[in-house]
Amino acid sequence: MILAGLAGRAMPVYGAGENRRDWLYVEDHVSALLAILAKGRIMETYLVGGGAELRNIDLVHRLCDLLDALRPNSPHRPHHSCIRFVADRPGHDLRYAIESDKLRRETGWEPTESFDSGLKRTVQWYLDNEEWCRKLAESSGADVRLGLRGARPANAALE
């Protein structure tokens, strides 16, 4: 989604964007796994969540705001104009949420990044590594939308 926005391509949002997800910055996920290794009980299950649940459309709006702020000279501003609502995937869950109280209670782990600070760090990483990301996406087929017959590139040009 970040690369599509940077390139001015369609930023596809399933349905009306009402699906909800619990978001966690990648380094916080790693620190949770390390806490489980160090302090978790053998054969126990620990769920890792960020406690940052929001609708997909809200995430995309925040992403567009960040792209506008971090790329003030972008010819694709406002990036909100790149958002395209697409048919939802069949059977797509409306909500993914994680209850991580057990992990927090037993290991003392807490995420260090808020949703907004983690998103900003993520977008900045993409900006700092834009060419590498673009080449990887092109070579891996990561720009193809899955879950529909006759899938087409998710990054198709805006119409």
Side-chain angles (χ1 to χ4, degrees):
M1 190 69 78
I2 294 169
L3 293 176
L6 287 172
R9 296 188 312 255
M11 298 172 73
V13 175
Y14 288 126
E18 294 296 318
N19 302 52
R20 299 182 72 85
R21 301 292 180 259
D22 181 15
W23 297 95
L24 178 66
Y25 183 63
V26 66
E27 289 181 13
D28 283 332
H29 192 161
V30 171
S31 73
L33 297 177
L34 293 173
I36 292 167
L37 285 172
K39 299 176 183 176
R41 291 180 286 136
I42 294 175
M43 301 301 292
E44 280 297 316
T45 300
Y46 296 93
L47 304 177
V48 180
E53 185 180 329
L54 72 156
R55 299 177 314 157
N56 288 347
I57 190 61
D58 297 328
L59 166 104
V60 176
H61 282 299
R62 288 182 187 185
L63 174 61
C64 289
D65 290 342
L66 272 173
L67 291 174
D68 287 350
L70 295 173
R71 282 281 172 90
N73 297 322
S74 170
H76 311 299
R77 288 184 79 225
H79 286 88
H80 292 270
S81 66
C82 296
I83 296 172
R84 294 294 180 271
F85 293 96
V86 298
D88 205 349
R89 295 184 321 215
H92 198 188
D93 290 325
L94 182 60
R95 180 176 181 241
Y96 295 149
I98 302 297
E99 175 56 64
S100 60
D101 287 348
K102 178 180 171 182
L103 167 66
R104 294 168 193 242
R105 184 177 59 254
E106 292 188 16
T107 68
W109 174 83
E110 291 288 336
T112 59
E113 296 289 340
S114 68
F115 173 81
D116 288 318
S117 66
L119 182 61
K120 185 174 183 179
R121 288 185 69 187
T122 300
V123 171
Q124 188 61 59
W125 186 91
Y126 273 81
L127 292 173
D128 294 343
N129 298 280
E130 190 173 352
E131 185 63 20
W132 180 85
C133 292
R134 185 188 59 73
K135 286 180 181 177
L136 180 64
E138 288 173 358
S139 68
S140 68
D143 60 347
V144 174
R145 181 173 174 214
L146 303 177
L148 298 174
R149 291 185 182 177
R152 63 179 183 77
N155 64 358
L158 296 178
E159 299 167 357

